[in-house]
Coordinates of all heavy atoms in Angstrom, one line a residue:
M748 N -0.3 7.6 3.5 CA 0.9 7.6 2.7 C 1.4 6.1 2.6 O 2.2 5.8 1.7 CB 2.0 8.4 3.4 CG 1.8 9.9 3.1 SD 2.0 10.4 1.4 CE 3.8 10.1 1.2
S749 N 1.0 5.3 3.5 CA 1.4 3.9 3.5 C 0.3 3.0 2.8 O -0.8 3.0 3.2 CB 1.6 3.3 4.9 OG 1.6 1.9 4.9
P750 N 0.7 2.3 1.7 CA -0.3 1.4 1.1 C -0.8 0.3 2.0 O -1.9 -0.2 1.8 CB 0.5 0.9 -0.2 CG 1.9 1.1 0.1 CD 2.0 2.3 1.0
F751 N 0.1 -0.1 3.0 CA -0.4 -1.1 3.9 C -1.4 -0.5 4.9 O -2.4 -1.3 5.2 CB 0.8 -1.6 4.7 CG 1.8 -2.4 3.9 CD1 3.1 -1.9 3.7 CD2 1.4 -3.7 3.5 CE1 3.9 -2.7 2.9 CE2 2.3 -4.4 2.7 CZ 3.6 -3.9 2.5
C752 N -1.3 0.7 5.2 CA -2.4 1.3 6.0 C -3.7 1.4 5.2 O -4.8 1.2 5.8 CB -1.9 2.7 6.5 SG -0.6 2.7 7.7
T753 N -3.6 1.8 4.0 CA -4.8 1.9 3.1 C -5.4 0.5 3.0 O -6.6 0.3 3.0 CB -4.4 2.5 1.8 OG1 -3.9 3.8 1.9 CG2 -5.7 2.6 0.9
K754 N -4.5 -0.5 2.8 CA -5.0 -1.9 2.7 C -5.8 -2.2 4.0 O -6.9 -2.8 3.9 CB -3.8 -2.8 2.6 CG -4.1 -4.3 2.7 CD -2.9 -5.1 2.8 CE -3.1 -6.5 3.2 NZ -1.9 -7.3 3.3
A755 N -5.3 -1.9 5.1 CA -6.0 -2.3 6.4 C -7.3 -1.5 6.5 O -8.3 -2.1 6.9 CB -5.1 -1.9 7.6
M756 N -7.4 -0.3 6.0 CA -8.7 0.4 6.0 C -9.7 -0.3 5.1 O -10.9 -0.4 5.5 CB -8.5 1.9 5.5 CG -7.6 2.7 6.4 SD -7.4 4.4 5.6 CE -5.9 4.9 6.5
I757 N -9.3 -0.7 3.9 CA -10.2 -1.4 3.0 C -10.7 -2.7 3.6 O -11.8 -3.0 3.6 CB -9.5 -1.7 1.7 CG1 -9.1 -0.3 1.0 CG2 -10.3 -2.5 0.8 CD1 -8.3 -0.5 -0.3
L758 N -9.7 -3.4 4.3 CA -10.1 -4.7 4.9 C -11.1 -4.5 6.0 O -12.1 -5.2 6.2 CB -8.9 -5.4 5.5 CG -7.9 -6.0 4.4 CD1 -6.7 -6.5 5.1 CD2 -8.5 -7.1 3.6
L759 N -10.9 -3.4 6.8 CA -11.9 -3.1 7.9 C -13.2 -2.8 7.3 O -14.3 -3.2 7.8 CB -11.3 -2.0 8.7 CG -10.2 -2.3 9.7 CD1 -9.5 -1.1 10.2 CD2 -10.7 -3.2 10.8
N760 N -13.3 -2.0 6.2 CA -14.5 -1.6 5.6 C -15.2 -2.9 5.0 O -16.4 -3.0 5.1 CB -14.3 -0.6 4.6 CG -14.0 0.8 5.2 OD1 -14.3 1.0 6.3 ND2 -13.5 1.7 4.4
M761 N -14.4 -3.7 4.3 CA -15.0 -4.9 3.8 C -15.6 -5.8 4.8 O -16.5 -6.6 4.6 CB -13.9 -5.7 3.0 CG -13.5 -5.0 1.7 SD -12.1 -5.8 0.9 CE -12.6 -7.4 0.6
S762 N -15.0 -5.8 6.0 CA -15.5 -6.6 7.1 C -16.6 -6.0 7.9 O -17.1 -6.6 8.9 CB -14.3 -6.8 8.1 OG -13.2 -7.4 7.5
R763 N -17.0 -4.8 7.5 CA -18.1 -4.0 8.1 C -17.8 -3.8 9.6 O -18.7 -3.8 10.4 CB -19.4 -4.8 7.9 CG -19.8 -5.0 6.5 CD -21.2 -5.6 6.3 NE -21.4 -6.0 4.9 CZ -21.8 -5.2 3.9 NH1 -21.9 -3.9 4.2 NH2 -22.0 -5.7 2.7
Q764 N -16.6 -3.5 9.9 CA -16.2 -3.2 11.2 C -16.4 -1.7 11.5 O -16.3 -0.8 10.6 CB -14.7 -3.5 11.5 CG -14.4 -5.0 11.4 CD -14.8 -5.7 12.7 OE1 -15.2 -5.1 13.7 NE2 -14.8 -7.0 12.6
D765 N -16.7 -1.4 12.8 CA -16.8 0.0 13.2 C -15.4 0.4 13.7 O -15.0 -0.2 14.7 CB -17.9 0.1 14.4 CG -18.2 1.5 14.7 OD1 -17.8 2.4 14.0 OD2 -18.8 1.7 15.8
W766 N -14.8 1.3 13.0 CA -13.4 1.7 13.4 C -13.2 3.2 13.2 O -13.9 3.8 12.5 CB -12.5 0.9 12.5 CG -12.5 1.2 11.1 CD1 -13.4 0.8 10.1 CD2 -11.6 2.1 10.4 NE1 -13.1 1.3 8.9 CE2 -12.0 2.1 9.0 CE3 -10.5 2.9 10.8 CZ2 -11.4 2.9 8.0 CZ3 -9.9 3.6 9.8 CH2 -10.3 3.6 8.5
Q767 N -12.1 3.6 13.8 CA -11.7 5.0 13.7 C -10.1 5.0 13.5 O -9.5 4.1 14.0 CB -12.0 5.8 14.9 CG -13.5 6.2 15.0 CD -13.8 7.1 16.2 OE1 -12.9 7.2 17.1 NE2 -14.9 7.6 16.3
P768 N -9.6 6.0 12.8 CA -8.2 6.1 12.7 C -7.5 6.7 13.9 O -8.1 7.6 14.5 CB -8.0 7.0 11.4 CG -9.2 7.8 11.4 CD -10.3 7.0 12.0
E769 N -6.4 6.3 14.2 CA -5.5 6.9 15.2 C -4.3 7.4 14.5 O -3.4 6.6 14.2 CB -5.2 5.9 16.3 CG -4.5 6.5 17.5 CD -4.3 5.6 18.6 OE1 -5.2 4.7 18.8 OE2 -3.3 5.7 19.4
I770 N -4.3 8.6 14.0 CA -3.2 9.1 13.1 C -2.0 9.5 13.9 O -2.0 10.2 14.8 CB -3.8 10.3 12.3 CG1 -5.0 9.9 11.6 CG2 -2.7 10.8 11.3 CD1 -5.7 11.1 11.0
V771 N -0.9 8.9 13.4 CA 0.4 9.2 14.0 C 1.5 9.5 12.9 O 1.3 9.1 11.8 CB 0.9 8.0 14.9 CG1 -0.1 7.8 16.1 CG2 1.1 6.8 14.1
S772 N 2.5 10.1 13.3 CA 3.6 10.4 12.3 C 4.7 9.5 12.4 O 5.6 9.4 11.5 CB 4.1 11.9 12.5 OG 4.6 12.1 13.8
T773 N 4.8 8.7 13.5 CA 5.9 7.7 13.7 C 5.2 6.4 14.2 O 4.2 6.4 14.8 CB 6.9 8.2 14.8 OG1 6.3 8.3 16.0 CG2 7.6 9.5 14.3
P774 N 5.9 5.3 13.9 CA 5.3 4.0 14.2 C 5.6 3.5 15.6 O 5.6 2.2 15.8 CB 5.8 3.1 13.1 CG 7.2 3.6 12.9 CD 7.1 5.1 13.1
T775 N 6.0 4.3 16.6 CA 6.4 3.8 17.9 C 5.4 3.1 18.7 O 5.8 2.3 19.5 CB 7.0 5.0 18.7 OG1 5.9 6.0 18.8 CG2 8.2 5.7 18.1
L776 N 4.1 3.3 18.4 CA 3.1 2.6 19.1 C 2.9 1.1 18.8 O 2.4 0.3 19.5 CB 1.7 3.3 18.9 CG 1.6 4.7 19.5 CD1 0.2 5.3 19.1 CD2 1.7 4.6 21.0
S777 N 3.5 0.8 17.6 CA 3.4 -0.6 17.1 C 4.5 -1.5 17.7 O 5.6 -1.1 17.8 CB 3.4 -0.7 15.6 OG 3.5 -2.0 15.1
P778 N 4.1 -2.7 18.1 CA 5.2 -3.6 18.6 C 6.3 -3.9 17.6 O 7.4 -4.1 18.0 CB 4.4 -4.9 18.9 CG 3.0 -4.5 19.1 CD 2.8 -3.3 18.2
T779 N 6.0 -3.8 16.3 CA 7.0 -4.1 15.3 C 7.7 -2.8 14.8 O 8.5 -2.9 14.0 CB 6.3 -4.8 14.1 OG1 5.3 -3.9 13.6 CG2 5.7 -6.1 14.5
K780 N 7.2 -1.7 15.3 CA 7.7 -0.3 14.9 C 7.4 -0.1 13.4 O 8.1 0.6 12.7 CB 9.2 -0.2 15.2 CG 9.5 -0.3 16.7 CD 8.8 0.7 17.5 CE 9.1 0.6 19.0 NZ 8.5 -0.5 19.7
K781 N 6.3 -0.7 12.9 CA 5.8 -0.5 11.6 C 4.3 -0.3 11.7 O 3.7 -0.8 12.6 CB 6.2 -1.7 10.7 CG 7.6 -1.8 10.3 CD 7.9 -2.9 9.3 CE 9.4 -3.0 8.9 NZ 9.6 -4.0 7.9
L782 N 3.7 0.3 10.7 CA 2.3 0.5 10.6 C 1.7 -0.1 9.3 O 2.5 -0.2 8.3 CB 1.9 2.0 10.7 CG 2.3 2.7 12.0 CD1 1.9 4.2 11.9 CD2 1.6 2.1 13.2
P783 N 0.4 -0.5 9.4 CA -0.6 -0.2 10.4 C -0.5 -1.1 11.6 O 0.2 -2.2 11.6 CB -1.9 -0.4 9.6 CG -1.5 -1.6 8.7 CD -0.1 -1.3 8.3
A784 N -1.3 -0.8 12.6 CA -1.5 -1.6 13.7 C -2.9 -1.4 14.2 O -3.4 -0.3 14.1 CB -0.5 -1.3 14.9
L785 N -3.6 -2.4 14.6 CA -5.0 -2.3 15.0 C -5.1 -2.4 16.5 O -4.7 -3.4 17.1 CB -5.8 -3.4 14.4 CG -7.3 -3.4 14.5 CD1 -7.9 -2.1 13.9 CD2 -8.0 -4.6 14.0
R786 N -5.7 -1.4 17.1 CA -5.9 -1.4 18.6 C -7.3 -2.1 18.9 O -8.3 -1.6 18.5 CB -5.9 0.0 19.1 CG -5.8 0.1 20.6 CD -5.9 1.5 21.1 NE -4.8 2.3 20.7 CZ -3.6 2.4 21.3 NH1 -3.4 1.7 22.3 NH2 -2.7 3.2 20.8
V787 N -7.3 -3.2 19.5 CA -8.5 -4.0 19.9 C -8.5 -4.1 21.4 O -7.9 -4.9 22.0 CB -8.5 -5.4 19.3 CG1 -9.8 -6.1 19.6 CG2 -8.2 -5.3 17.8
G788 N -9.3 -3.2 22.0 CA -9.3 -3.1 23.5 C -7.9 -2.8 23.9 O -7.2 -1.8 23.5
G789 N -7.3 -3.6 24.8 CA -5.9 -3.4 25.3 C -4.9 -4.1 24.5 O -3.7 -4.1 24.9
R790 N -5.3 -4.7 23.4 CA -4.3 -5.4 22.6 C -4.0 -4.7 21.3 O -4.9 -4.0 20.7 CB -5.0 -6.8 22.2 CG -4.2 -7.7 21.3 CD -5.0 -8.9 20.9 NE -4.3 -9.7 20.0 CZ -4.9 -10.7 19.3 NH1 -6.2 -11.0 19.5 NH2 -4.3 -11.5 18.4
I791 N -2.8 -4.8 20.8 CA -2.5 -4.1 19.5 C -2.0 -5.2 18.6 O -1.1 -6.0 18.9 CB -1.3 -3.1 19.7 CG1 -1.8 -1.9 20.5 CG2 -0.9 -2.6 18.3 CD1 -0.8 -0.8 20.7
I792 N -2.7 -5.3 17.4 CA -2.4 -6.3 16.4 C -1.5 -5.6 15.3 O -2.1 -4.7 14.6 CB -3.6 -6.9 15.8 CG1 -4.5 -7.6 16.9 CG2 -3.3 -7.9 14.7 CD1 -5.8 -8.0 16.4
P793 N -0.3 -5.9 15.1 CA 0.5 -5.2 14.1 C 0.5 -5.9 12.8 O 0.1 -7.1 12.7 CB 2.0 -5.3 14.7 CG 1.9 -6.6 15.4 CD 0.5 -6.8 16.0
D794 N 0.8 -5.2 11.7 CA 1.0 -5.8 10.4 C -0.4 -6.0 9.7 O -1.3 -6.6 10.3 CB 1.7 -7.1 10.4 CG 2.0 -7.7 9.1 OD1 2.9 -7.2 8.4 OD2 1.3 -8.6 8.6
S795 N -0.5 -5.6 8.4 CA -1.7 -5.7 7.7 C -2.2 -7.1 7.5 O -3.4 -7.4 7.5 CB -1.6 -5.0 6.4 OG -0.7 -5.6 5.5
N796 N -1.2 -8.0 7.3 CA -1.6 -9.4 7.1 C -2.1 -10.1 8.4 O -2.9 -11.0 8.4 CB -0.5 -10.2 6.5 CG -0.3 -9.9 5.0 OD1 -1.3 -9.8 4.3 ND2 0.9 -9.5 4.6
Q797 N -1.5 -9.6 9.6 CA -2.0 -10.1 10.9 C -3.4 -9.6 11.1 O -4.2 -10.2 11.7 CB -1.0 -9.7 12.0 CG 0.3 -10.5 11.9 CD 0.1 -12.0 12.0 OE1 -0.4 -12.5 13.0 NE2 0.6 -12.7 11.0
I798 N -3.6 -8.3 10.7 CA -5.0 -7.7 10.8 C -6.0 -8.5 10.0 O -7.1 -8.8 10.4 CB -5.0 -6.3 10.4 CG1 -4.1 -5.4 11.4 CG2 -6.4 -5.7 10.3 CD1 -3.9 -4.0 11.0
L799 N -5.5 -8.9 8.8 CA -6.4 -9.7 7.9 C -6.7 -11.1 8.6 O -7.9 -11.5 8.6 CB -5.6 -10.0 6.6 CG -6.1 -11.1 5.7 CD1 -7.6 -10.8 5.2 CD2 -5.2 -11.3 4.5
T800 N -5.7 -11.7 9.2 CA -6.0 -13.0 9.9 C -7.0 -12.8 11.1 O -7.9 -13.6 11.2 CB -4.7 -13.5 10.4 OG1 -3.8 -13.8 9.3 CG2 -4.9 -14.8 11.2
W801 N -6.8 -11.7 11.8 CA -7.7 -11.5 13.0 C -9.1 -11.2 12.5 O -10.1 -11.7 13.1 CB -7.2 -10.2 13.8 CG -8.0 -10.0 15.0 CD1 -8.0 -10.6 16.2 CD2 -9.1 -9.1 15.0 NE1 -9.0 -10.1 17.0 CE2 -9.7 -9.1 16.3 CE3 -9.7 -8.2 14.1 CZ2 -10.8 -8.4 16.8 CZ3 -10.8 -7.4 14.5 CH2 -11.3 -7.5 15.8
L802 N -9.3 -10.5 11.4 CA -10.6 -10.2 10.9 C -11.3 -11.5 10.4 O -12.5 -11.7 10.7 CB -10.5 -9.2 9.7 CG -10.2 -7.8 10.1 CD1 -9.9 -6.9 8.9 CD2 -11.3 -7.1 10.9
E803 N -10.5 -12.4 9.8 CA -11.1 -13.7 9.3 C -11.4 -14.5 10.6 O -12.5 -15.2 10.6 CB -10.0 -14.4 8.5 CG -9.9 -13.8 7.1 CD -9.0 -14.7 6.2 OE1 -7.9 -15.0 6.6 OE2 -9.5 -15.1 5.1
Q804 N -10.6 -14.5 11.6 CA -10.9 -15.3 12.8 C -12.1 -14.7 13.5 O -12.8 -15.4 14.2 CB -9.7 -15.3 13.7 CG -8.5 -16.1 13.2 CD -7.3 -16.0 14.0 OE1 -7.2 -15.1 14.9 NE2 -6.3 -16.8 13.8
S805 N -12.4 -13.4 13.3 CA -13.6 -12.8 13.9 C -14.8 -13.0 13.0 O -15.9 -12.5 13.4 CB -13.3 -11.3 14.1 OG -12.2 -11.1 14.9
G806 N -14.7 -13.7 11.9 CA -15.9 -14.1 11.1 C -16.0 -13.4 9.8 O -17.0 -13.7 9.0
A807 N -15.1 -12.5 9.4 CA -15.2 -11.8 8.1 C -14.8 -12.8 7.0 O -13.8 -13.5 7.1 CB -14.2 -10.6 8.1
D808 N -15.5 -12.7 5.9 CA -15.1 -13.4 4.7 C -14.5 -12.5 3.7 O -15.1 -11.7 3.0 CB -16.4 -14.0 4.0 CG -16.1 -14.9 2.8 OD1 -14.9 -15.0 2.5 OD2 -17.0 -15.4 2.2
L809 N -13.2 -12.5 3.7 CA -12.4 -11.5 2.9 C -11.9 -12.1 1.6 O -11.2 -11.5 0.8 CB -11.2 -11.0 3.7 CG -11.6 -10.2 4.9 CD1 -10.4 -9.9 5.8 CD2 -12.3 -8.9 4.5
F810 N -12.4 -13.3 1.3 CA -12.2 -14.0 0.0 C -13.5 -14.6 -0.5 O -13.6 -15.8 -0.7 CB -11.1 -15.1 0.1 CG -9.7 -14.6 0.5 CD1 -9.4 -14.6 1.8 CD2 -8.8 -14.1 -0.5 CE1 -8.1 -14.1 2.2 CE2 -7.6 -13.6 -0.1 CZ -7.2 -13.6 1.3
P811 N -14.5 -13.7 -0.6 CA -15.9 -14.2 -0.9 C -16.0 -15.1 -2.2 O -15.5 -14.6 -3.2 CB -16.7 -13.0 -1.0 CG -15.7 -11.9 -1.3 CD -14.5 -12.3 -0.7
R812 N -16.6 -16.2 -2.0 CA -16.9 -17.1 -3.2 C -15.6 -17.7 -3.8 O -15.7 -18.3 -4.9 CB -17.8 -16.4 -4.2 CG -19.1 -16.0 -3.7 CD -20.1 -15.9 -4.8 NE -19.8 -14.9 -5.8 CZ -20.2 -13.6 -5.8 NH1 -21.0 -13.2 -4.9 NH2 -19.8 -12.8 -6.8
L813 N -14.5 -17.5 -3.3 CA -13.2 -18.1 -3.8 C -13.1 -19.6 -3.4 O -13.3 -19.9 -2.3 CB -12.0 -17.3 -3.4 CG -11.6 -16.2 -4.3 CD1 -12.7 -15.1 -4.4 CD2 -10.2 -15.6 -3.9
S814 N -12.6 -20.4 -4.4 CA -12.3 -21.8 -4.1 C -11.0 -21.8 -3.3 O -10.3 -20.8 -3.2 CB -12.2 -22.6 -5.4 OG -11.1 -22.1 -6.1
E815 N -10.6 -23.0 -2.8 CA -9.4 -23.1 -2.1 C -8.2 -22.8 -3.1 O -7.2 -22.2 -2.7 CB -9.2 -24.5 -1.5 CG -10.2 -24.7 -0.3 CD -10.0 -23.7 0.8 OE1 -8.8 -23.4 1.1 OE2 -11.0 -23.1 1.3
A816 N -8.3 -23.2 -4.3 CA -7.3 -23.0 -5.3 C -7.2 -21.5 -5.6 O -6.1 -20.9 -5.7 CB -7.5 -23.7 -6.6
E817 N -8.3 -20.8 -5.7 CA -8.3 -19.4 -5.9 C -7.7 -18.6 -4.7 O -7.0 -17.6 -4.9 CB -9.7 -18.9 -6.2 CG -10.1 -19.3 -7.6 CD -11.6 -19.0 -7.9 OE1 -12.4 -19.0 -6.9 OE2 -12.0 -18.7 -9.0
K818 N -8.0 -19.1 -3.5 CA -7.5 -18.4 -2.3 C -5.9 -18.5 -2.3 O -5.2 -17.6 -1.9 CB -8.0 -19.1 -1.0 CG -9.5 -18.7 -0.8 CD -10.0 -19.4 0.5 CE -11.5 -19.0 0.8 NZ -12.0 -19.7 2.0
T819 N -5.4 -19.7 -2.7 CA -4.0 -19.9 -2.8 C -3.4 -18.9 -3.9 O -2.4 -18.3 -3.6 CB -3.7 -21.3 -3.2 OG1 -4.2 -22.2 -2.3 CG2 -2.2 -21.5 -3.4
Q820 N -4.1 -18.8 -5.0 CA -3.6 -17.8 -6.0 C -3.7 -16.4 -5.5 O -2.8 -15.6 -5.7 CB -4.5 -18.0 -7.2 CG -4.0 -17.2 -8.5 CD -4.8 -17.5 -9.7 OE1 -5.7 -18.4 -9.6 NE2 -4.5 -16.9 -10.8
A821 N -4.7 -16.1 -4.8 CA -4.8 -14.7 -4.2 C -3.7 -14.5 -3.2 O -3.1 -13.4 -3.2 CB -6.2 -14.5 -3.5
H822 N -3.3 -15.4 -2.4 CA -2.2 -15.3 -1.5 C -0.9 -15.0 -2.2 O -0.1 -14.2 -1.8 CB -2.1 -16.6 -0.6 CG -0.9 -16.6 0.3 ND1 -0.9 -16.0 1.5 CD2 0.3 -17.2 0.1 CE1 0.3 -16.2 2.0 NE2 1.1 -16.9 1.2
M823 N -0.7 -15.7 -3.3 CA 0.5 -15.5 -4.1 C 0.5 -14.1 -4.7 O 1.6 -13.5 -4.8 CB 0.7 -16.6 -5.2 CG 1.0 -18.0 -4.6 SD 1.3 -19.2 -5.8 CE -0.3 -19.5 -6.6
L824 N -0.6 -13.6 -5.2 CA -0.7 -12.3 -5.8 C -0.4 -11.2 -4.7 O 0.3 -10.3 -5.0 CB -2.0 -12.0 -6.4 CG -2.3 -12.7 -7.7 CD1 -3.8 -12.4 -8.1 CD2 -1.4 -12.1 -8.8
I825 N -0.9 -11.4 -3.5 CA -0.6 -10.5 -2.4 C 0.9 -10.4 -2.1 O 1.5 -9.4 -2.0 CB -1.4 -10.9 -1.1 CG1 -2.9 -10.7 -1.3 CG2 -0.8 -10.2 0.1 CD1 -3.7 -11.3 -0.2
R826 N 1.6 -11.6 -2.1 CA 3.0 -11.6 -1.8 C 3.8 -11.0 -3.0 O 4.7 -10.3 -2.8 CB 3.5 -13.1 -1.6 CG 3.0 -13.7 -0.3 CD 3.6 -13.0 0.9 NE 3.1 -13.5 2.1 CZ 2.1 -13.0 2.8 NH1 1.4 -12.0 2.4 NH2 1.7 -13.6 3.9
M827 N 3.3 -11.2 -4.2 CA 4.0 -10.6 -5.4 C 4.0 -9.1 -5.3 O 5.0 -8.4 -5.5 CB 3.4 -11.0 -6.7 CG 4.0 -10.4 -7.9 SD 3.0 -10.7 -9.4 CE 1.7 -9.5 -9.1

Side-chain angles (χ1 to χ4, degrees):
M748 284 293 292
S749 164
F751 290 111
C752 291
T753 302
K754 168 190 171 183
M756 295 176 199
I757 295 172
L758 291 174
L759 286 164
N760 288 342
M761 289 172 60
S762 303
R763 304 184 187 280
Q764 293 284 348
D765 189 15
W766 67 278
Q767 289 181 346
E769 186 174 331
I770 303 169
V771 298
S772 58
T773 62
T775 53
L776 292 175
S777 171
T779 61
K780 301 301 182 282
K781 292 185 177 183
L782 295 180
L785 186 65
R786 193 186 297 276
V787 183
R790 176 187 177 194
I791 294 181
I792 302 170
D794 185 78
S795 64
N796 287 311
Q797 292 300 304
I798 293 170
L799 166 60
T800 298
W801 182 83
L802 290 170
E803 288 189 302
Q804 290 172 347
S805 300
D808 183 3
L809 296 170
F810 298 92
R812 298 204 300 262
L813 269 64
S814 67
E815 290 304 313
E817 288 171 327
K818 289 180 182 178
T819 300
Q820 190 175 356
H822 174 82
M823 290 188 291
L824 283 174
I825 290 170
R826 290 293 178 267
M827 179 192 76

